[in-house]
Amino acid sequence: MPKPTLKTVASKQPRETAGTSAFRAFDFQVNVSIALVLDIFKQGKEFVALFDHHDDLVVFVGEGENSELSFYQVKSSSELTWTAKRLARRSPKGELPKSIIGKAYYNIAQFGPEIRRASILSNRPLNATLAIATQSGLHDGELSIADLCSADQKALMKSLEEDFPTGFDKSHVTLLTFERVPFDLESYRATVLGRIVTMLEELDPDFVAVSSPFYTALLAAAGECTGNKTKSATVEELRKRVALDREAINRLIVRVQSRRKNLVEWWSSVKDEFAADGMKAIQIQRIKNMCIAYVDARRIGIRAATNLSEAIRGAIDKTAVSTMESVKEAAVALKAHGLVEPTSEPYDLQSAMIVELMEAMT
């Protein structure tokens, strides 16, 4: 069987997968998948990741003939450990394959032994005995099924024989792997967000402030790729429907780089300016509160705030604010364009001008 390519994956009908009906299991699956994709992204490698298509995660790493294809089945568990018997356990219902190990091997049967791995990822470790050991132990790192002792392998092989009654190639079990991933069932979202914070901080310390929306955008991008079980006529169609690649994440980063900074990010420079002019802390806090009130009113679409925003932006377009040395100086210049003080609002013209100026200049 030739080495599989994206075209091969696009042309095959995906196996129906269960588990997406349980929200927590599915959410864990998506977050683990995102973390794995981000690890590949940070390594600087080209990749194409397919979510919930053929398996929970399918990843091509590299380009052309040198690319490696890996399948990942993500299993969350509240039990203490996995064992060979648990991986071989067979569901009484449904079509073949019925075991976890059988569903992993199905990818080898479909795409041949030229794949890199067919892996089971879980939050809990594997309790097994290695072929080179005399006692069982807990294993966290990636472990090939072929490395297990004969007794553990026997349980898995028996299940595979039942899942593939027409036969399977035992030499291919070296491609079957198990790996514990460091994501607790109660805090996996926070762990993935922490990785995103670290990644964005390495790009620019200011990017940390948008870690949460960046994470939300990634979840949305992955969510748009899930649940489609149809074959794709072309590679381009496959990429469009179920794929996330290096270019897509780069586009998200460009959006981060080109965004406007929010009040939390730019307020310190405004605060320092007012303090340098001798303004007391309570006066500065009052101005900040009015800035926040203006941002909130504009965000929810209150007409007075949106009209004032439009008027201030028009004045900014007519004023050389980029040449001015302080936000106070710029605000005075803007007011000369006939801007009117709002009435009966929790903010004043000065606070609104500060917000619009700082967003325009940052």
Side-chain angles (χ1 to χ4, degrees):
M1 187 177 288
K3 187 173 183 179
T5 64
L6 264 177
K7 185 176 181 180
T8 316
V9 174
S11 65
K12 286 185 178 291
Q13 182 79 26
R15 173 180 60 83
E16 286 294 327
T17 56
T20 56
S21 59
F23 175 76
R24 188 176 76 167
F26 182 59
D27 192 56
F28 180 80
Q29 166 193 319
V30 172
N31 275 272
V32 169
S33 298
I34 285 176
L36 193 150
V37 166
L38 288 178
D39 285 344
I40 299 171
F41 178 85
K42 288 183 67 176
Q43 293 168 18
K45 298 176 179 178
E46 293 295 329
F47 68 88
V48 178
L50 312 178
F51 292 80
D52 197 30
H53 191 74
H54 288 289
D55 217 328
D56 295 335
L57 178 67
V58 180
V59 184
F60 277 93
V61 178
E63 297 181 279
E65 293 297 320
N66 296 321
S67 64
E68 293 183 338
L69 174 59
S70 295
F71 294 84
Y72 297 95
Q73 186 179 160
V74 181
K75 292 294 180 184
S76 58
S77 176
S78 57
E79 296 187 38
L80 291 177
T81 61
W82 289 91
T83 63
K85 288 184 178 180
R86 279 191 68 197
L87 295 177
R89 190 180 299 161
R90 300 170 55 73
S91 170
K93 299 180 181 179
E95 299 179 356
L96 297 176
K98 294 186 176 183
S99 67
I100 293 174
I101 195 66
K103 290 172 182 176
Y105 185 86
Y106 180 85
N107 296 309
I108 303 173
Q110 278 279 88
F111 296 97
E114 289 297 316
I115 69 171
R116 172 64 180 83
R117 62 171 66 79
S119 188
I120 300 163
L121 305 179
S122 181
N123 58 306
R124 302 304 308 169
L126 178 65
N127 187 358
T129 304
L130 299 183
I132 59 173
T134 56
Q135 294 183 330
S136 64
L138 300 181
H139 302 282
D140 284 349
E142 186 175 22
L143 180 68
S144 171
I145 300 303
D147 294 331
L148 302 182
C149 70
S150 58
D152 284 338
Q153 283 199 42
K154 183 177 180 180
L156 296 169
M157 295 303 155
K158 184 176 184 298
S159 187
L160 286 171
E161 287 171 355
E162 294 181 48
D163 277 333
F164 299 90
T166 58
F168 73 97
D169 194 328
K170 292 183 179 180
S171 67
H172 296 166
V173 298
T174 56
L175 301 172
L176 291 170
T177 67
F178 180 95
E179 183 177 359
R180 177 181 178 264
V181 288
F183 297 100
D184 184 89
L185 282 184
E186 300 301 322
S187 58
Y188 57 87
R189 277 180 165 249
T191 305
V192 176
L193 179 58
R195 291 193 178 192
I196 289 173
V197 169
T198 300
M199 184 186 80
L200 293 181
E201 188 175 29
E202 290 173 354
L203 294 172
D204 188 318
D206 285 345
F207 290 177
V208 172
V210 292
S211 297
S212 183
F214 184 85
Y215 171 50
T216 301
L218 267 180
L219 282 177
E224 290 173 359
C225 295
T226 62
N228 197 314
K229 305 301 179 187
T230 60
K231 293 190 291 185
S232 301
T234 64
V235 169
E236 290 71 24
E237 183 182 329
L238 178 74
R239 282 178 175 270
K240 184 177 180 180
R241 289 193 294 104
V242 295
L244 186 65
D245 56 17
R246 185 170 194 83
E247 182 181 348
I249 294 181
N250 274 327
R251 285 198 298 269
L252 288 176
I253 291 174
V254 168
R255 283 167 55 187
V256 169
Q257 292 171 323
S258 61
R259 88 201 195 286
R260 295 184 303 186
K261 290 186 177 181
N262 60 40
L263 189 149
V264 173
E265 294 174 275
W266 53 253
W267 175 253
S268 61
S269 60
V270 174
K271 175 184 175 182
D272 291 344
E273 181 180 322
F274 285 141
D277 284 347
M279 191 176 287
K280 301 298 183 182
I282 193 168
Q283 295 173 291
I284 297 174
Q285 184 61 44
R286 190 176 295 119
I287 294 172
K288 181 180 181 181
N289 291 344
M290 287 192 287
C291 286
I292 293 172
Y294 172 73
V295 169
D296 287 343
R298 188 187 60 181
R299 176 179 55 81
I300 62 178
I302 293 178
R303 179 168 296 182
T306 57
N307 289 344
L308 182 56
S309 174
E310 185 176 341
I312 295 173
R313 291 179 187 180
I316 290 174
D317 291 340
K318 301 173 185 176
T319 309
V321 294
S322 61
T323 64
M324 298 178 182
E325 296 183 356
S326 72
V327 69
K328 290 178 65 177
E329 178 189 356
V332 171
L334 292 184
K335 197 170 184 180
H337 287 280
L339 296 175
V340 179
E341 190 75 38
T343 57
S344 304
E345 300 295 341
Y347 52 85
D348 60 10
L349 179 59
Q350 181 191 44
S351 59
M353 288 190 294
I354 289 172
V355 170
E356 299 292 349
L357 280 165
M358 294 306 295
E359 289 184 350
M361 292 188 290
T362 59

